[in-house]
Amino acid sequence: MESKLLGLLGIARRAGHIAIGFDAVKAAIADGRAQLVLLAADRSAKTEKELRYTAQDSPCSIRVLAADKEALAHALGLQKPVAVAAIDDRGFAAAMLKACGTDTKEDVAL
């Protein structure tokens, strides 16, 4: 299940439908572009709190992954650890939510 989600992340990045990093994700949420926000398992509590606050009036879903920052970066083809990523395409977001086994706004552990 998690490998399918991580594979979809790589495809979304190559398609240009992903924002990576705290500032880019926060801007995507604020602009209304973010459809789905993914948080690494070892992200900081402050990062999660600030993004949840920014997204409280947004229709985007927030998911906490079982994958750590290194695994998330590897799925995105990056060298530096990645704590957060946002998907701005509705189709990719729906496919990722399906891979999670849920389509609600509640968190799931993958």
Side-chain angles (χ1 to χ4, degrees):
M1 180 185 317
E2 184 174 331
S3 62
K4 182 173 182 176
L5 176 68
L6 295 177
L8 285 169
L9 276 173
I11 295 169
R13 179 167 186 256
R14 288 188 295 277
H17 290 291
I18 193 163
I20 301 168
F22 179 80
D23 292 332
V25 170
K26 189 172 180 180
I29 294 169
D31 294 345
R33 291 179 289 125
Q35 300 294 315
L36 174 64
V37 175
L38 300 171
L39 303 169
D42 56 347
R43 81 254 167 235
S44 75
K46 182 180 178 187
T47 295
E48 181 175 3
K49 181 180 176 184
E50 287 187 35
L51 291 177
R52 287 190 183 278
Y53 179 78
T54 302
Q56 70 186 15
D57 295 327
S58 173
C60 76
S61 297
I62 297 176
R63 296 289 183 272
V64 177
L65 302 174
D68 63 3
K69 292 186 238 182
E70 295 292 333
L72 188 55
H74 180 67
L76 294 168
L78 300 172
Q79 299 295 321
K80 291 177 64 177
V82 175
V84 296
I87 310 304
D88 66 9
D89 181 78
R90 197 170 284 181
F92 277 120
M96 289 179 191
L97 287 171
K98 186 176 179 182
C100 292
T102 181
D103 60 356
T104 65
K105 286 189 78 168
E106 297 177 26
D107 287 331
V108 295
L110 298 177

